[in-house]
Amino acid sequence: RAVDLLGGLDLLGMRGKRVLLKPNVLNDQPPPSTTNPLVVAAMADMAKANGAAEVVVADGSGIIRLPTSANLTSTGMRAVAEAAGARVLALEDEPWVKIEVPQAQTLRPVYESDVVINMPVIKTHRFAEYSCSLKNFVGAVHPRYRPSVRFWTGDWHERIAEINLAVHPALTVADGYHYELRSEEQPVRRRAERPALSAATTFTSLLQARGVQVDAFPAEGAAPAGAPGVASVQGVTLKAVVAELL
């Protein structure tokens, strides 16, 4: 539905092209530490249906969490991608291309793909503050030049910006099945959140802060038939948002 609101995948011109899907396979852990394989499989199916000549699913895991090949298998990413007819690559096993961005090398499969679709997962990060679309391409950079080599230098954001001068995704699809947050008190610890339940909890808290009695705990799912509507929010369509950005 979201893709339709953007105008459809025909706008990406992927017919007859090589399409690379770049998920976040940071480690061997399940979502939301990594991109949900079901999201990647759906995107691979859509790319094939829109005439892509080849679909490649590729990533490079964190430096201390290599090899990527094992992580692609343990997370289920390899199985669903291959079932969708995609080729799966562990990027550190592929050749590199030197580019003009200062102090960087990126993977040849990423650099030479006709269409790149970025598929991050929504989560916070201890050093980069927020980990989503831009930071996802750290996995396409040679480990020698990744920001994580210099954890404490404070220039993560500048380095992430430079990485994105080399790679220009045609589309970013952020996995929001679950999202991951770090505790401000204990930043090493993480917790997974469900977006719908988080929204319901926040809405309940706002109502209670304004003196509205709420008898039940927040929950997510389909409302019972005939349940009265308390409030609704009408959002702007994605197509209108993109038009405003452009």
Side-chain angles (χ1 to χ4, degrees), residues 1-9 11 43 46 122 171-174 234-246:
R1 173 65 176 156
V3 171
D4 290 340
L5 290 172
L6 288 172
L9 291 182
L11 295 177
M43 193 72 248
M46 295 174 68
I122 300 172
L171 177 68
T172 293
V173 179
Q234 180 65 46
V236 179
T237 65
L238 283 175
K239 192 170 184 179
V241 172
V242 172
E244 180 68 22
L245 290 173
L246 296 177

Side-chain angles (χ1 to χ4, degrees), residues 11 16 28 47 50 64 68 72 89-91 94 97 106 108 118 135-136 162 200-201 206 217 234 236 244:
L11 295 177
D28 62 355
N50 279 267
I64 62 174
T68 306
L72 287 164
L89 298 179
L91 289 180
E94 300 299 316
V97 176
T106 191
R108 186 177 295 276
N118 188 21
K135 185 182 171 295
N136 196 38
E162 287 184 348
T201 302
L206 291 172
F217 290 105
Q234 180 65 46
V236 179
E244 180 68 22

Side-chain angles (χ1 to χ4, degrees), residues 1-212:
R1 173 65 176 156
V3 171
D4 290 340
L5 290 172
L6 288 172
L9 291 182
D10 286 342
L11 295 177
L12 303 186
M14 62 175 63
R15 188 167 301 278
K17 303 291 183 61
R18 182 182 190 230
V19 177
L20 185 138
L21 309 183
K22 168 61 177 73
N24 184 328
V25 188
L26 168 69
N27 50 33
D28 62 355
Q29 298 301 302
S33 183
T34 52
T35 303
N36 193 317
L38 297 179
V39 178
V40 178
M43 193 72 248
D45 287 338
M46 295 174 68
K48 285 280 190 180
N50 279 267
E54 180 185 20
V55 177
V56 177
V57 174
D59 194 21
S61 297
I63 296 175
I64 62 174
R65 297 176 177 93
L66 298 170
T68 306
S69 181
N71 296 333
L72 287 164
T73 299
S74 59
T75 58
M77 188 69 70
R78 183 186 304 279
V80 299
E82 291 179 345
R87 186 159 63 97
V88 180
L89 298 179
L91 289 180
E92 71 269 18
D93 298 331
E94 300 299 316
W96 302 89
V97 176
K98 288 187 177 182
I99 54 177
E100 293 299 322
V101 177
Q103 300 297 313
Q105 285 186 349
T106 191
L107 274 300
R108 186 177 295 276
V110 177
Y111 194 71
E112 295 184 348
S113 292
D114 299 308
V115 179
V116 175
I117 297 179
N118 188 21
M119 303 197 68
V121 60
I122 300 172
K123 58 183 178 180
T124 52
H125 189 273
R126 185 179 182 184
F127 296 101
E129 296 181 8
Y130 184 73
S131 176
C132 198
S133 58
L134 295 178
K135 185 182 171 295
N136 196 38
F137 283 106
V138 170
V141 173
H142 193 291
R144 183 185 304 120
Y145 300 113
R146 293 187 183 182
S148 48
V149 174
R150 300 167 61 189
F151 273 120
W152 305 106
T153 60
D155 62 352
W156 267 76
H157 303 91
E158 291 84 351
R159 287 173 169 264
I160 290 170
E162 287 184 348
I163 289 169
N164 283 268
L165 294 174
V167 184
H168 305 282
L171 177 68
T172 293
V173 179
D175 170 20
Y177 266 79
H178 295 78
Y179 60 89
E180 187 176 77
L181 295 176
R182 290 179 180 269
S183 167
E184 293 184 4
E185 295 77 20
Q186 296 176 300
V188 175
R189 295 189 178 182
R190 304 178 180 183
R191 68 180 188 274
E193 299 281 359
R194 298 194 298 275
L197 182 58
S198 178
T201 302
T202 300
F203 183 55
T204 300
S205 298
L206 291 172
L207 291 174
Q208 292 172 333
R210 286 159 176 76
V212 178

